[in-house]
């Protein structure tokens, strides 16, 4: 009898606690993103649309006025305020930026980054790291080294790879090509060493594949309760087992390069002029700042994160959008021809830094790609003290604010009724210059004091690559049954890549993306697009998503 009363009382207490918990969730969540289900919270709707995660979330957020709250499973502490409101971005990134940090939860998820500039919340350390990287970028020989590294990689690896594909009609995944290109390029910039992953036969480079796996695991960590991924990490099962293996492979790669460079410098006997010459980021870091292995490892990892897949993502989405909008390609080629004249045959040359700065229309096209397909689709912040956002949402030190950069690029409030159209002209002024858009509306490079230090380098590198390719090749798009879907990773790459399949009817290709039925023929016509034609796959896509 006593046991019965005890169990009854316990049941009543548990019921009361659950009721209070549910009421508290409703009190805290005044603008719900979805229905808040018992136990599972709002996760079911998100999981059911995981295959279209970015598009689905952007559409829902914009339909809710730009800001809404997401409540995760009960007791998971996965509660977020999601927003696409540009005034919220201006408040958090600029006006009141000192009150907003990445937060300890973010650093725990992204622990593989170490304690470097991308994840640190220590303002003094961040300022030191910023000045350190700026001192390297502003080195008198850096531009020469940067330009030579990119041009050499384009000339010696990228163009021969495309030539080989054209001559043999072989299958070519442009996304894989660009990932390998940027991996080799950032390795050369950071370490002064080319791993030659972009070579005929596409050799497997373990460090490159490990980096891909790390990015996927970091996305997974943000999608599940902390207790779950921590438990998997402890047991070394599932995604966390893959994470541990990939992390070891990439750390071994970094540490081997660092050790090799340190040993090389200790043995080197250079003249004064040779010693001052720029050789790599690592060489400059060890020469003037630090020989601490952890500092160099963390700095190296952060540079890879900033300069590898972000650039590959931009290039991949650019060629897909331009290939499905032939008039844009024609205007880019026209601009190059007007400024530099005929640049083919014996006159062909790879453009340099000062050359590509003159390409205004190409710059506008790249901005448009970044707007529609930002390489980093989300940005996360946490307030130190209680605050009220311009959207009138109250946030406290336990709040997590997530900005959907992908959603902001598809917001009618910011970009107008044609926000879903690929329209480089929106970035060109009447006088022919680039239209200035406030960084809090276009935050692909972050905003405020923490704006990306490599912004100019990104535009320069991609312009050199794009101009080199478009002057020699016409990218032809054909259809396949799979969909163009962003991968579930912290970087917005294509899930199925950008490949060349077997031959297909030109009309069916055109019907998929609203392209002229004669598009395939025109791209192959030497009179319209002089140069060689390379086919890539155009998976099925929602017309509204690209205009």
């Amino acid at each position: 009898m006593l046991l019965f009363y005890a169990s009854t009382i316990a049941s009543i207490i548990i019921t009361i606690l659950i009721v209070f918990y549910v009421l508290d969730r409703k009190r805290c969540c005044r603008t719900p993103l979805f229905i808040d289900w018992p136990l599972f919270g709002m996760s079911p709707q998100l999981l059911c649309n995981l295959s279209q995660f970015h598009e689905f979330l952007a559409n829902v957020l914009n339909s809710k006025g730009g800001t809404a709250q997401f409540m995760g499973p009960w007791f998971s502490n996965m509660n977020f305020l999601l927003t696409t409101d540009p005034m919220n971005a201006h408040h958090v990134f600029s006006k009141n930026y000192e009150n907003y940090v990445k937060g300890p939860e973010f650093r725990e998820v992204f622990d593989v980054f170490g304690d470097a500039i991308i994840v640190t919340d220590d303002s003094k350390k961040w300022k030191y790291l910023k000045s350190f990287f700026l001192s390297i970028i502003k080195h008198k020989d850096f531009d020469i080294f940067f330009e030579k590294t990119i041009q050499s990689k384009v000339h010696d690896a990228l163009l021969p790879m495309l030539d080989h594909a054209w001559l043999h009609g072989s299958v070519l995944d442009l996304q894989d090509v660009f990932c390998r290109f940027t991996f080799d390029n950032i390795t050369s910039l950071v370490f002064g060493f080319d791993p030659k992953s972009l070579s005929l036969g596409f050799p497997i480079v373990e460090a490159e594949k490990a980096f891909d796996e790390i990015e996927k695991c970091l996305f997974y960590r943000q999608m599940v309760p902390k207790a779950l991924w921590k438990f998997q990490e402890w047991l070394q099962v599932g995604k966390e087992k893959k994470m541990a293996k990939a992390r070891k492979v990439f750390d071994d790669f970094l540490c081997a390069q660092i050790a090799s460079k340190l040993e090389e410098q200790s043995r080197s006997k250079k003249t004064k002029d040779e010693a001052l010459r720029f050789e790599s980021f690592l060489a400059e870091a060890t020469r003037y700042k630090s020989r601490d292995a952890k500092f160099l490892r963390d700095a190296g990892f952060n540079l890879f994160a900033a300069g590898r897949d972000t650039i590959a993502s931009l290039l991949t989405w650019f060629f897909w959008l331009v290939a499905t909008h032939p008039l844009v390609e024609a205007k880019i080629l026209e601009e190059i021809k007007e400024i530099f004249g005929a640049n083919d045959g014996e006159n062909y040359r790879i453009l340099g830094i000062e050359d590509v700065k003159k390409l205004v229309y190409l710059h506008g096209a790249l901005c448009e790609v970044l707007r529609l397909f930002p390489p980093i689709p989300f940005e996360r912040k946490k307030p130190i003290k209680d605050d009220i956002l311009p959207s009138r949402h109250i946030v406290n030190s336990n709040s997590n604010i997530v900005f959907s950069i992908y959603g902001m690029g598809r917001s009618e409030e910011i970009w107008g009724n044609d926000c879903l159209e690929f329209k480089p002209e929106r970035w060109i002024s009447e006088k022919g210059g680039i239209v200035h858009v406030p960084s809090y509306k276009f935050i692909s490079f972050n905003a405020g004091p923490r704006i990306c230090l490599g912004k100019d380098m990104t535009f320069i590198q991609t312009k050199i690559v794009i101009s080199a390719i478009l002057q020699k090749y016409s990218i032809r798009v054909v259809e396949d049954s799979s969909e163009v879907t962003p991968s579930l990773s912290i970087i917005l790459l294509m899930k199925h890549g950008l490949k060349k399949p077997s031959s297909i009817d030109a009309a069916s290709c055109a019907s998929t993306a609203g392209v002229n039925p004669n598009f395939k023929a025109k791209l192959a016509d030497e009179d319209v697009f002089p140069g060689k034609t390379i086919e890539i796959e155009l998976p099925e896509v929602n017309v509204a998503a690209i205009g």
Side-chain angles (χ1 to χ4, degrees), residues 34-216:
F34 307 119
I35 297 172
D36 189 10
W37 298 99
L39 294 178
F40 301 106
M42 300 180 188
S43 296
Q45 293 98 314
L46 208 57
L47 293 174
C48 287
N49 292 276
L50 201 58
S51 61
Q52 299 176 344
F53 178 80
H54 301 288
E55 193 71 30
F56 172 70
L57 198 57
N59 291 337
V60 174
L61 265 177
N62 289 327
S63 70
K64 296 278 185 179
T67 306
Q69 292 165 280
F70 175 83
M71 307 292 281
W74 287 13
F75 311 110
S76 67
N77 197 30
M78 288 182 67
N79 304 329
F80 301 96
L81 179 71
L82 293 104
T83 183
T84 58
D85 189 329
M87 299 317 297
N88 284 346
H90 186 44
H91 180 82
V92 170
F93 291 100
S94 299
K95 290 182 68 176
N96 199 21
Y97 83 95
E98 290 184 346
N99 187 47
Y100 290 89
V101 295
K102 297 288 188 181
E105 295 91 351
F106 180 91
R107 292 197 303 276
E108 195 167 13
V109 168
F110 288 81
D111 59 349
V112 68
F113 280 74
D115 193 23
I117 193 167
I118 291 179
V119 296
T120 186
D121 285 333
D122 186 323
S123 59
K124 288 184 178 179
K125 184 163 190 175
W126 175 78
K127 288 176 182 177
Y128 166 75
L129 290 169
K130 180 181 178 180
S131 64
F132 163 62
F133 284 114
L134 282 176
S135 69
I136 291 178
I137 293 172
K138 293 182 181 298
H139 187 287
K140 64 182 181 69
D141 292 333
F142 175 76
D143 282 354
I144 298 171
F145 174 77
F146 183 58
E147 179 181 79
K148 182 180 177 182
T149 300
I150 298 169
Q151 288 179 328
S152 296
K153 195 65 194 176
V154 170
H155 181 271
D156 298 337
L158 182 59
L159 296 182
M161 177 67 68
L162 298 180
D163 269 335
H164 183 269
W166 174 72
L167 286 168
H168 295 84
S170 55
V171 174
L172 191 65
D173 182 350
L174 278 184
Q175 179 168 273
D176 188 26
V177 168
F178 291 140
C179 283
R180 289 171 178 270
F181 172 85
T182 52
F183 181 81
D184 289 351
N185 196 57
I186 194 64
T187 306
S188 298
L189 290 171
V190 175
F191 297 120
F193 160 74
D194 186 354
K196 299 186 184 302
S197 68
L198 183 60
S199 304
L200 295 179
F202 289 90
I204 295 175
V205 178
E206 293 297 332
E208 185 206 10
K209 298 304 177 187
F211 197 82
D212 292 339
E213 191 62 47
I214 288 171
E215 289 177 338
K216 292 175 184 176

Side-chain angles (χ1 to χ4, degrees), residues 216-460:
K216 292 175 184 176
C217 292
L218 289 175
F219 181 85
Y220 170 79
R221 284 184 175 186
Q222 296 181 88
M223 294 299 297
V224 300
K226 174 184 172 181
L228 177 58
W229 71 261
K230 278 287 187 183
F231 187 60
Q232 289 182 319
E233 184 182 38
W234 181 63
L235 290 178
Q236 281 298 288
V237 296
K239 282 284 186 182
E240 288 302 315
K241 181 179 180 179
K242 294 180 180 178
M243 176 67 157
K245 183 179 178 181
R247 184 170 180 171
K248 183 179 185 308
V249 169
F250 197 75
D251 276 353
D252 288 347
F253 168 75
L254 287 177
C255 293
Q257 294 304 318
I258 292 169
S260 174
K261 185 60 66 176
L262 291 175
E263 184 179 356
E264 178 186 319
Q265 286 191 339
S266 65
R267 293 179 178 179
S268 177
K269 294 180 180 180
K270 296 180 179 179
T271 65
K272 186 177 180 180
D273 288 340
E274 289 175 332
L276 292 174
R277 193 174 302 146
F278 193 97
E279 294 177 350
S280 67
F281 275 96
L282 182 63
E284 292 302 302
T286 55
R287 185 179 298 154
Y288 297 115
K289 297 292 181 181
S290 175
R291 296 175 71 87
D292 177 72
K294 185 181 185 305
F295 173 85
L296 295 174
R297 180 266 169 207
D298 292 348
F301 189 95
N302 280 248
L303 287 167
F304 266 88
R308 193 249 180 175
D309 281 352
T310 52
I311 306 294
S313 168
L314 175 54
L315 288 169
T316 301
W317 290 109
F318 173 88
F319 276 100
W320 179 66
L321 284 169
V322 168
T324 54
H325 295 76
L327 289 179
V328 173
E329 181 179 9
K331 288 181 180 181
I332 293 171
L333 289 169
E334 180 75 20
E335 179 181 54
I336 294 173
K337 187 175 181 179
E338 282 183 2
I339 297 173
F340 304 106
N343 192 15
D344 52 13
E346 293 182 0
N347 297 321
Y348 179 82
R349 68 184 180 90
I350 298 169
L351 303 182
I353 291 177
E354 294 305 316
D355 295 327
V356 298
K357 287 179 180 179
K358 301 172 185 176
L359 300 175
V360 176
Y361 189 82
L362 177 54
H363 191 98
L366 284 168
C367 288
E368 191 70 342
V369 176
L370 287 166
R371 179 181 72 84
L372 288 168
F373 297 100
I376 300 175
F378 295 100
E379 183 65 38
R380 180 170 163 177
K381 290 289 185 177
K382 190 178 185 71
I384 299 172
K385 296 183 293 186
D386 294 0
D387 197 10
I388 300 177
L389 299 177
S391 61
R392 306 190 67 81
H393 288 81
I394 299 172
V395 293
N396 56 46
S397 58
N398 292 320
S399 304
N400 287 289
I401 306 171
V402 176
F403 290 87
S404 173
I405 304 175
Y406 187 95
M408 290 181 75
R410 287 162 166 71
S411 170
E412 288 189 12
E413 179 187 343
I414 302 174
W415 303 102
N417 295 331
D418 62 352
C419 63
L420 297 179
E421 295 181 24
F422 178 59
K423 193 175 176 182
E425 288 77 11
R426 78 174 77 241
W427 296 90
I428 313 298
S429 69
E430 292 181 358
K431 294 182 179 180
I434 292 294
V435 172
H436 170 71
V437 177
S439 59
Y440 59 86
K441 291 185 178 180
F442 178 59
I443 60 173
S444 291
F445 293 100
N446 214 310
R450 289 208 173 198
I451 197 164
C452 177
L453 300 179
K455 178 180 177 180
D456 292 339
M457 293 167 61
T458 297
F459 282 114
I460 288 168

Side-chain angles (χ1 to χ4, degrees), residues 461-495:
Q461 182 174 346
T462 50
K463 284 180 182 179
I464 290 174
V465 172
I466 290 165
S467 61
I469 292 175
L470 289 184
Q471 289 178 95
K472 288 195 72 175
Y473 308 98
S474 299
I475 304 299
R476 177 164 52 190
V477 189
V478 288
E479 184 189 15
D480 187 68
S481 59
S482 57
E483 295 182 355
V484 168
T485 307
S487 61
L488 296 180
S489 177
I490 60 171
I491 303 296
L492 200 72
L493 291 165
M494 288 186 180
K495 185 176 181 179

Side-chain angles (χ1 to χ4, degrees), residues 505-518:
D505 180 70
S508 66
C509 168
S511 66
T512 305
V515 183
N516 187 312
N518 296 320

Side-chain angles (χ1 to χ4, degrees), residues 20-41:
F20 273 108
Y21 182 75
V22 171
L23 292 174
D24 184 62
R25 281 175 70 98
K26 288 186 176 181
R27 179 185 63 82
C28 295
C29 187
R30 300 294 177 86
T31 53
L33 187 66
F34 307 119
I35 297 172
D36 189 10
W37 298 99
L39 294 178
F40 301 106

